[in-house]
């Protein structure tokens, strides 16, 4: 085994082994290193056999700068091992290499299995943690949805109660309007009776009765005017009440729809929770 190394090169050089006849020899892999300044060092080993001249050359060259360095090596015959010993050494080296390779493979296999178990365990713990987080978030969402559901239900009940009160108020207004109309009809009837009485009356007291009639007519006219205004006011209140009732019905319809959406969402969340628990 011959070893050759050279340092102080830039750019990176090439290394060749040559036999005594100048032929390139098959050598092991070339090792290249660099120092902090970027200067290259190169080395290589080659296994040689006994030849007729035992001359070998290590050549390092850099084509870009056209620089070459080489070392000539002569190996005496005494340095070469006998063929039998060489075979035993090669066999031993082969067995040693096989054992080393097997040990490396076994180590890598065990390391990968260990890493896989750790990874699986980590994934399992992460999945468990994510499941707990999702469940926690879903439970929080479910809690909020239930609160929304209760709040919406209370609003709906309050609006329904308000709608019933408005209906009752409308009924009272309708009754008051009917009473006012009745009073108006009665006053008109009384006025007509007075007119008939004065028209058919004959005597010396016509002037007096006429005065009474005019006074009575004025009173009834004022009463009728007030009743008419009261009727208009009642009708205005009734119109406002109708509008308020319509708006209340619309709000109830929207809240009912919202309530149904929340209930559907709660059902889906419960299904997801059951799925996560499974």
């Amino acid at each position: 085994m011959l070893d050759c190394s050279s340092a102080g090169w830039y750019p990176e050089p090439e290394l060749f082994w040559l036999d005594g006849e100048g032929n390139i020899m098959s050598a092991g892999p070339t090792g290249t290193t660099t120092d902090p300044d970027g200067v290259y060092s190169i080395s290589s080993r080659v296994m040689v056999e006994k030849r007729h001249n035992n001359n070998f050359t290590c050549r390092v060259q850099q084509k870009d700068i056209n620089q070459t360095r080489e070392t000539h090596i002569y190996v005496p015959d005494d340095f070469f091992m006998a063929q039998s010993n060489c075979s035993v050494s090669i066999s031993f080296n082969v067995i040693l290499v096989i054992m080393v390779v097997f040990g490396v493979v076994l180590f890598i296999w065990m390391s990968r299995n260990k890493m896989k178990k750790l990874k699986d365990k980590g994934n399992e713990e992460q999945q468990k943690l994510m499941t707990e987080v999702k469940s926690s978030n879903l439970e929080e969402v479910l809690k909020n949805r239930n609160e929304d559901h209760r709040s919406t239900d209370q609003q709906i009940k309050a609006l329904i109660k308000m709608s019933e009160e408005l209906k009752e108020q409308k009924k009272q207004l309708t009754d008051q309007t009917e009473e006012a109309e009745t009073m108006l009809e009665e006053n008109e009837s009384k006025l007509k009776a007075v007119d008939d009485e004065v028209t058919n009356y004959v005597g010396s007291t016509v002037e007096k009765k006429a005065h009474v009639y005019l006074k009575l007519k004025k009173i009834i006219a004022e009463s009728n005017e007030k009743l008419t205004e009261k009727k208009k006011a009642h009708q205005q209140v009734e119109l406002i009440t109708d509008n308020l009732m319509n708006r209340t019905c619309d709000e109830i319809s929207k809240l009912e729809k919202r309530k149904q959406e929340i209930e559907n969402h709660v059902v889906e969340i419960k299904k997801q929770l059951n799925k996560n628990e499974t």
Side-chain angles (χ1 to χ4, degrees):
M1 178 72 70
L2 302 180
D3 183 276
C4 179
S5 61
S6 181
W9 290 88
Y10 186 85
E12 183 179 357
E14 298 178 341
L15 189 150
F16 302 97
W17 284 98
L18 305 175
D19 59 13
E21 299 176 354
N23 299 319
I24 296 177
M25 301 174 60
S26 177
T30 302
T32 304
T33 60
T34 56
D35 61 11
D37 296 329
V39 179
Y40 290 89
S41 298
I42 190 169
S43 62
S44 176
R45 290 183 178 183
V46 65
M47 180 74 70
V48 297
E49 297 177 355
K50 185 178 179 181
R51 303 190 180 188
H52 64 280
N53 54 11
N54 298 334
N55 288 321
F56 306 98
T57 302
C58 172
R59 179 179 296 171
V60 181
Q61 66 180 17
Q62 219 309 313
K63 294 181 180 179
D64 295 338
I65 59 177
N66 195 20
Q67 184 177 1
T68 303
R69 293 180 184 177
E70 60 183 23
T71 299
H72 300 283
I73 304 172
Y74 172 74
V75 183
D77 293 340
D78 297 339
F79 281 88
F80 289 98
M81 299 175 60
Q83 183 66 29
S84 59
N85 292 336
C86 183
S87 299
V88 173
S89 176
I90 291 174
S91 300
F92 176 77
N93 289 333
V94 170
I95 294 173
L96 180 62
V97 169
I98 292 175
M99 292 179 64
V100 171
V101 171
F102 178 76
V104 171
V105 172
L106 180 62
F107 175 76
I108 294 174
W109 180 77
M110 293 177 65
S111 298
R112 286 184 176 180
N113 284 341
K114 186 175 181 180
M115 291 297 294
K116 185 178 179 181
K117 290 180 180 179
L118 292 174
K119 184 178 180 181
D120 293 340
K121 184 177 180 181
N123 292 336
E124 183 179 355
E125 292 177 352
Q126 185 177 6
Q127 186 68 26
K128 184 178 179 181
L129 179 60
M130 291 297 295
T131 302
E132 291 177 354
V133 171
K134 288 181 178 179
S135 299
S136 177
N137 291 338
L138 287 174
E139 290 176 356
E140 185 68 22
V141 172
L142 179 60
K143 181 180 178 181
N144 294 334
R145 287 302 179 184
N146 287 331
E147 291 292 336
D148 292 341
H149 185 274
R150 284 192 291 269
S151 177
T152 305
D153 198 23
Q154 292 175 357
Q155 292 178 1
I156 291 173
K157 291 180 179 179
L159 288 174
I160 291 174
K161 184 178 180 181
M162 183 185 300
S163 177
E164 292 176 352
E165 292 177 353
L166 289 173
K167 289 179 181 179
E168 183 65 25
Q169 183 180 355
K170 181 181 178 181
K171 184 177 180 302
Q172 293 177 0
L173 289 173
T174 302
D175 294 340
Q176 291 177 4
T177 303
E178 292 177 355
E179 291 177 0
E181 291 176 352
T182 302
M183 291 175 62
L184 184 60
E185 292 176 356
E186 290 177 353
N187 289 336
E188 290 178 353
S189 177
K190 291 178 181 180
L191 181 60
K192 187 177 181 302
V194 172
D195 286 337
D196 293 341
E197 184 179 352
V198 172
T199 301
N200 298 326
Y201 182 80
V202 179
S204 60
T205 59
V206 173
E207 184 178 355
K208 181 178 179 180
K209 289 185 178 295
H211 179 72
V212 173
Y213 162 73
L214 293 174
K215 187 177 181 180
L216 178 61
K217 185 176 181 180
K218 183 180 180 181
I219 294 173
I220 294 176
E222 291 176 354
S223 177
N224 288 339
E225 185 178 355
K226 291 180 179 180
L227 289 173
T228 302
E229 292 177 356
K230 187 176 182 180
K231 180 180 178 181
K232 291 180 179 180
H234 286 172
Q235 290 175 348
Q236 185 67 23
V237 174
E238 184 176 356
L239 179 61
I240 295 173
T241 304
D242 287 336
N243 292 334
L244 185 58
M245 288 178 60
N246 292 333
R247 290 174 57 189
T248 304
C249 291
D250 292 340
E251 291 296 329
I252 291 175
S253 178
K254 292 179 182 179
L255 288 173
E256 288 285 357
K257 184 177 180 181
R258 176 62 177 166
K259 178 181 178 181
Q260 185 63 40
E261 292 177 355
I262 294 174
E263 289 177 350
N264 294 336
H265 197 184
V266 169
V267 171
E268 292 297 327
I269 292 174
K270 288 181 178 180
K271 289 181 180 179
Q272 187 65 33
L273 286 173
N274 293 332
K275 183 178 179 180
N276 289 345
E277 289 178 357
T278 304

